Amino acid sequence: MKKNTKVVVNASYVISILIALFTGIIGTICVYKFIPNKTITTKQESKITLTEQDTISSAIGKVNDAVVYIESYQRNVAAGSGTGFFYKTDEQYGYIITNNHVVEDAQKVEVTVTNGSQYEAKILGTDEYSDIAVLQVPKEAAIAVTTIGESAESKVGDTIFTVGSPLGIEYMNSVTKGIISGKDRTIEVTLSNGDYLMEVIQLDAAINPGNSGGPLCNINGEVIGVNSLKLVKNEVEGMGFAIPIEYVMTLVPQLETGEKVKKPLIGVEMLSIGDTWQLYRNGIMISEDIEYGVVIVNVSKGKPADKAGLKKGDVIVEFAGKEVKSMAYFRYLLYKQAVGDTVKIKYFRDGKVKEASIVLTESSN
């Protein structure tokens, strides 16, 4: 009897162990199956969500249909192309801003809008110094009109984009994106009647042939400038320039009516101080002590400079409180003034600095 009892006890013990082992296995399976693993869950919930801050598509949508492709013709032969944009409409017409150099000397201008329709445009007015022109087309051509913003509110580093037609109609309404790289820049450009300084916005968005005249836009899709030119050198990339929209819009009312933009006049012919040979031919010798300025070689009788007492051989060294470093800079300072303004100048004569006040009149040229 004792022997049988011992066997029973041992069997119960083995059964208990098996039950405990089975229970542990089942429990482990349940833990892995039904209790979430926090590390895995964290990885699954780590997602990148695209928001409006990561795209400018809505801003582009506000501008795109208002941008046009422009082609100019001479003797019925295509002579050049560029971009423009609608800035307003009235009951009959749509009005387009572009660059002067896009339509300069054109005998005919055609505009293509985003739906593919083409229209012959009338050139209402142009201005070489600002490089701005205004065109007119039938109102039906204006699928959309841009919103004019303010470049003064923008800052260096702000996101901007351009819309244009680089290399022709095949790439019409191409968009490039970048930032404002600099404000209040002055760059020298060569015009048909001499060099001139333009005040521009610098940007790093790609500007290619055909982008000229297109809108420079801020992140809200507002036009803050008119793309005009880029710095072209083998060692330079990403330096484009646009004309501030505030300046452009001051010219537009005159250009719409076909009027010449009024430019102030002082009534002198000048040479650069470094143009030694031409000065010599005009019988003018400049003291080596004079380091900068522009030299008067002729004074028109009865004009503002004549009335202020300026003479041949005088060297203008300061105009409206700014040092005159070059001919181009002098024109830049002069054309920032308005007809009728009184401007103080400083000039060298007989080794002495003299001052005069000039009342600017309107140039007929």
Side-chain angles (χ1 to χ4, degrees):
M1 292 296 293
K2 291 182 180 179
K3 187 175 181 180
N4 291 336
T5 303
K6 186 176 182 181
V7 171
V8 172
V9 171
N10 288 342
S12 300
Y13 178 73
V14 171
I15 291 170
S16 299
I17 292 175
L18 290 174
I19 292 172
L21 181 61
F22 180 75
T23 302
I25 292 171
I26 296 299
T28 302
I29 292 172
C30 290
V31 167
Y32 277 97
K33 186 172 181 63
F34 298 109
I35 298 178
N37 185 306
K38 292 183 180 179
T39 303
I40 295 174
T41 302
T42 301
K43 289 181 180 179
Q44 289 176 339
E45 292 179 353
S46 178
K47 298 178 181 179
I48 297 174
T49 302
L50 190 66
T51 66
E52 188 62 28
Q53 294 177 344
D54 303 305
T55 178
I56 59 170
S57 61
S58 62
I60 294 169
K62 296 176 183 178
V63 177
N64 195 61
D65 282 337
V67 179
V68 301
Y69 171 73
I70 298 172
E71 192 154 28
S72 61
Y73 294 82
Q74 295 177 7
R75 298 185 180 91
N76 292 321
V77 176
S81 66
T83 304
F85 59 93
F86 286 102
Y87 67 94
K88 81 168 190 177
T89 60
D90 59 23
E91 293 182 356
Q92 290 183 287
Y93 302 108
Y95 297 86
I96 298 168
I97 290 174
T98 187
N99 284 148
N100 170 71
H101 74 260
V102 171
V103 297
E104 192 172 19
D105 299 324
Q107 296 170 331
K108 185 175 79 169
V109 176
E110 284 189 351
V111 167
T112 303
V113 297
T114 52
N115 65 9
S117 299
Q118 293 184 327
Y119 301 86
E120 186 167 343
K122 179 181 180 181
I123 301 174
L124 295 182
T126 64
D127 181 58
E128 182 182 23
Y129 285 99
S130 64
D131 196 23
I132 294 298
V134 171
L135 312 181
Q136 182 189 77
V137 293
K139 183 179 180 181
E140 65 187 62
I143 300 173
V145 176
T146 57
T147 299
I148 303 300
E150 296 181 0
S151 70
E153 298 297 318
S154 62
K155 299 180 178 63
V156 173
D158 282 357
T159 297
I160 48 85
F161 67 93
T162 73
V163 186
S165 304
L167 306 179
I169 196 169
E170 181 180 359
Y171 297 101
M172 180 179 172
N173 286 56
S174 294
V175 177
T176 59
K177 178 185 174 185
I179 62 169
I180 292 177
S181 304
K183 294 187 66 179
D184 303 320
R185 302 292 201 205
T186 52
I187 58 171
E188 187 169 326
V189 294
T190 300
L191 305 176
S192 59
N193 59 350
D195 294 336
Y196 176 64
L197 287 186
M198 292 179 65
E199 190 169 299
V200 293
I201 303 166
Q202 181 186 337
L203 53 138
D204 71 347
I207 300 293
N208 296 297
N211 277 108
S212 295
L216 173 69
C217 303
N218 62 21
I219 199 69
N220 297 318
E222 300 166 335
V223 179
I224 62 170
V226 179
N227 301 319
S228 182
L229 65 163
K230 66 178 291 186
L231 191 61
V232 182
K233 290 184 179 180
N234 290 334
E235 66 274 20
V236 175
E237 289 185 8
M239 291 187 69
F241 302 95
I243 307 161
I245 197 63
E246 291 91 337
Y247 175 59
V248 172
M249 297 311 292
T250 63
L251 305 177
V252 163
Q254 297 174 67
L255 296 177
E256 286 179 353
T257 60
E259 294 180 17
K260 288 288 186 183
V261 175
K262 295 179 180 179
K263 293 288 194 303
L265 171 81
I266 66 168
V268 297
E269 294 177 22
M270 299 174 294
L271 286 171
S272 170
I273 196 170
D275 201 345
T276 309
W277 172 242
Q278 289 296 328
L279 290 172
Y280 175 76
R281 290 186 63 182
N282 281 275
I284 299 173
M285 300 291 290
I286 302 300
S287 170
E288 294 182 357
D289 294 334
I290 303 175
E291 298 178 352
Y292 58 88
V294 291
V295 185
I296 296 175
V297 296
N298 184 50
V299 179
S300 297
K301 188 175 180 180
K303 299 299 182 182
D306 181 43
K307 293 179 179 179
L310 294 177
K311 297 179 179 180
K312 176 180 177 178
D314 289 344
V315 182
I316 299 176
V317 293
E318 187 175 298
F319 185 89
K322 303 290 185 180
E323 291 183 350
V324 178
K325 297 294 186 179
S326 66
M327 291 275 290
Y329 192 57
F330 177 80
R331 286 195 182 96
Y332 167 72
L333 293 174
L334 175 61
Y335 293 154
K336 288 188 74 173
Q337 313 304 315
V339 173
D341 284 353
T342 299
V343 180
K344 290 185 178 181
I345 68 167
K346 291 183 180 180
Y347 60 97
F348 266 101
R349 179 189 292 174
D350 299 327
K352 296 180 180 179
V353 178
K354 298 180 178 292
E355 294 188 12
S357 293
I358 294 182
V359 180
L360 302 176
T361 58
E362 183 180 344
S363 172
S364 59
N365 184 0

